[in-house]
Amino acid sequence: MIALKALKGASWLVFSRFMGRAIDFIMLPILARVLTPSDFGLAALAMSLVLIIDTILEVPIAQALVRLEKIDRKHLDTGFTLGIIRSCIVSLVVLVLIWPFSLLNDEPRLVPLVLFIVLGSVAKGLVSPAMVHFMRQLGFVQTFIMEFGGKLCAFAAAMVLLYFGATYWAIAANYVLAAVAALVISYILAPYRPRFSLARLNDFAAFVGWYSAAQLVSALNWQFDRLLVGIGSDKASLGRYAMASDMATMPTQSLIGPALQSVMAAFSLIGNDRERLKHAFLKAARFAMLISVPACVGISLTSDLATALLLGPKWDDVAPYVSILALAVLPIPYFQTLYSVCLATDRPFLAVKVNMIDLCLRLVLLTAGFFIFSVLGVTIARLVLAIIMFGIYLHYARWLVGVSIAQQTKNLWKIGVAAMMMAICVEGLRMELTTVNLPALYELAVVAPVGAFTYFLVLFALGLRLTIGRSRMELFDRY
């Protein structure tokens, strides 16, 4: 029953993120054709500073409340108060850092842009804490309404600004207005009368402490490459790299990330039963990789077609970056599953350790790659880092839930074989189509269904089956 409730919740979250990405897909070609890579680079640089501060100072109010057996009004008040404090600190830190940051990059336009973008981070910290009631019941319809409503309002506003020549301000407005609209919608869906209190601070303290440490390292991990490219090269190069990175991470952001919010809630319900947790982790990891692997491999194989179709000819240089980075994000869903278990079982310190290892390797590999091969070197270094980190994820999953590396490999090998057969089929088909010289849209319309069909056909031939019933939902091996 828990599995089905988690599946329903995950379905709504995935649908929410999918619809949000659908809006992005509509907006992306418009922005790419109106704005220049330099505009995207400037916006990416401003966003990097804000997102690092925002991530480091994030207070996991919803996650902290989900893991509690019972919550009362004082828990909500404490969560709201922590959100207010967090938003104030984010604003102050940005005010302190924005001037030296603009001087370091020799870009005075960063000052007003960052000051505007930080309003979105402030709004994110003030969402109604009463939304947690829906999460605890594994019901995420309200989350869908909040997220999609915010995206829709932001899209409309960004298009209006773009029409009046707002350039890179349209990108910033999209981020800020999505957060503000979601904030308003959250209080409509989950009414809550704000009240200042820290009466239940002890229930947050230990969790927030380790979580904040993990977020500090995670923020540096996720934004270090953009800061490195932004400081060491021109804005146009950063714009191309940021665009490629965003395209490559779409599968994990759109599908796996939101789905695992409900999985974490399900993990919390069985956290004290080690055997059930072990099986739940294997199932969740398998589902995550089942969906993300073909998406990432498919993007890598058709990066030139996707960039030509979505971005236009002035972004042709992005395709090689997308091809490499799409493979570099393959292990991320596995880590997201592991991370959900860490939070659900009150072991955020493990996430800190893994992120610290990632950061140390990232600082060395990405810096070396940039100084040897510039932006291309950074993309290659990220792929090397991903391979190393996947082995580390396997090791820590064994320690956390008691699943041996052999069991984890057995859990995933059929997905790997199916992905390799899909790659061979798609590459062979594309070689045959070179003589036909089809437009990008038509070629993508041919190879994408063939690749997907090959992937699932191989899985079926290897005996992988999906069972959905009233009380259970799982993948199983027929042989």
Side-chain angles (χ1 to χ4, degrees):
M1 184 63 70
I2 292 176
L4 275 181
K5 290 183 69 176
L7 176 62
K8 291 177 181 178
S11 299
W12 277 109
L13 290 171
V14 170
F15 183 60
S16 171
R17 197 61 60 88
F18 177 79
M19 293 301 294
R21 284 300 176 183
I23 293 175
D24 290 340
F25 269 118
I26 296 172
M27 184 166 60
L28 185 61
I30 300 172
L31 291 174
R33 284 163 173 78
V34 174
L35 306 183
T36 66
S38 296
D39 291 328
F40 276 90
L42 181 63
L45 199 57
M47 290 288 292
S48 293
L49 176 64
V50 174
L51 290 178
I52 287 176
I53 298 171
D54 181 63
T55 306
I56 291 173
L57 297 175
E58 181 178 355
V59 178
I61 295 170
Q63 292 90 333
L65 291 174
V66 162
R67 54 186 267 281
L68 299 176
E69 292 185 7
K70 294 181 180 180
I71 60 174
D72 55 27
R73 168 72 195 211
K74 291 183 179 180
H75 283 111
L76 299 182
D77 294 339
T78 303
F80 175 80
T81 305
L82 288 173
I84 288 284
I85 295 171
R86 175 255 184 201
S87 294
C88 292
I89 295 175
V90 167
S91 302
L92 289 174
V93 173
V94 168
L95 286 174
V96 170
L97 295 181
I98 180 55
W99 299 105
F101 185 70
S102 64
L103 291 174
L104 177 64
N105 289 278
D106 192 25
E107 184 53 81
R109 292 178 296 174
L110 283 171
V111 175
L113 188 59
V114 169
L115 292 177
F116 176 66
I117 291 174
V118 77
L119 295 177
S121 296
V122 171
K124 285 169 57 181
L126 302 179
V127 170
S128 171
M131 289 290 292
V132 74
H133 291 305
F134 304 122
M135 293 181 63
R136 287 171 62 85
Q137 297 167 8
L138 299 180
F140 292 90
V141 178
Q142 294 78 9
T143 302
F144 162 71
I145 297 172
M146 181 183 72
E147 291 185 353
F148 182 66
K151 290 288 292 186
L152 203 58
C153 294
F155 170 75
M159 290 299 99
V160 171
L161 290 173
L162 199 63
Y163 177 79
F164 286 103
T167 62
Y168 53 82
W169 284 100
I171 302 175
N174 183 60
Y175 172 77
V176 173
L177 295 176
V180 172
L183 167 66
V184 174
I185 294 171
S186 74
Y187 281 91
I188 296 173
L189 296 174
Y192 166 77
R193 180 177 297 177
R195 183 183 300 167
F196 295 102
S197 172
L198 293 175
R200 294 287 187 266
L201 183 60
N202 288 337
D203 290 333
F204 289 82
F207 184 84
V208 170
W210 279 110
Y211 185 91
S212 298
Q215 289 299 93
L216 168 62
V217 182
S218 179
L220 296 175
N221 282 338
W222 281 106
Q223 297 298 323
F224 172 72
D225 54 344
R226 299 195 184 203
L227 291 177
L228 179 65
V229 174
I231 294 173
S233 62
D234 58 272
K235 301 298 181 293
S237 296
L238 174 60
R240 294 187 184 95
Y241 176 81
M243 178 67 76
S245 184
D246 290 342
M247 288 184 64
T249 55
M250 278 184 180
T252 54
Q253 289 183 344
S254 304
L255 302 175
I256 306 306
L260 288 179
Q261 292 181 37
S262 65
V263 170
M264 178 195 161
F267 284 157
S268 299
L269 298 176
I270 59 174
N272 294 326
D273 189 333
R274 189 171 178 82
E275 193 62 28
R276 288 185 68 190
L277 184 63
K278 171 181 173 180
H279 290 298
F281 170 79
L282 288 173
K283 289 179 183 179
R286 201 178 207 187
F287 266 113
M289 300 303 284
L290 178 76
I291 298 170
S292 62
V293 166
C296 292
V297 173
I299 290 175
S300 178
L301 295 171
T302 59
S303 60
D304 56 328
L305 302 177
T307 53
L309 184 62
L310 291 175
L311 308 180
K314 66 182 176 183
W315 294 88
D316 286 343
D317 294 341
V318 169
Y321 302 156
V322 175
S323 182
I324 298 172
L325 292 175
L327 297 179
V329 301
L330 268 175
I332 292 177
Y334 208 80
F335 172 69
Q336 290 174 322
T337 310
L338 180 65
Y339 186 72
S340 296
V341 178
C342 291
L343 297 187
T345 57
D346 279 336
R347 294 175 180 174
F349 63 88
L350 183 61
V352 176
K353 292 176 64 176
V354 174
N355 278 328
M356 278 299 299
I357 295 171
D358 190 337
L359 178 60
C360 293
L361 293 173
R362 189 176 297 267
L363 291 173
V364 174
L365 293 174
L366 269 63
T367 303
F370 181 74
F371 281 105
I372 297 173
F373 296 114
S374 188
V375 180
L376 180 61
V378 174
T379 62
I380 295 172
R382 279 184 57 180
L383 179 58
V384 174
L385 175 65
I387 296 171
I388 297 173
M389 289 306 302
F390 185 63
I392 293 172
Y393 300 153
L394 295 176
H395 168 74
Y396 277 98
R398 178 181 62 180
W399 183 87
L400 180 64
V401 295
V403 184
S404 69
I405 293 179
Q407 286 177 296
Q408 295 177 71
T409 304
K410 182 181 178 181
N411 193 46
L412 300 176
W413 75 268
K414 293 182 180 180
I415 295 173
V417 171
M420 286 189 288
M421 295 303 297
M422 181 187 79
I424 294 171
C425 182
V426 169
E427 279 297 299
L429 179 59
R430 292 203 63 187
M431 290 180 63
E432 292 295 327
L433 291 176
T434 53
T435 58
V436 183
N437 196 25
L438 290 174
L441 176 61
Y442 295 157
E443 185 173 349
L444 190 61
V446 172
V447 299
V450 171
F453 177 78
T454 302
Y455 176 76
F456 288 107
L457 180 64
V458 173
L459 287 177
F460 187 83
L462 292 173
L464 198 62
R465 301 289 188 271
L466 176 65
T467 298
I468 301 179
R470 287 189 175 183
S471 60
R472 69 190 187 106
M473 181 278 304
E474 64 178 329
L475 284 170
F476 71 95
D477 295 289
R478 188 173 181 181
Y479 45 85

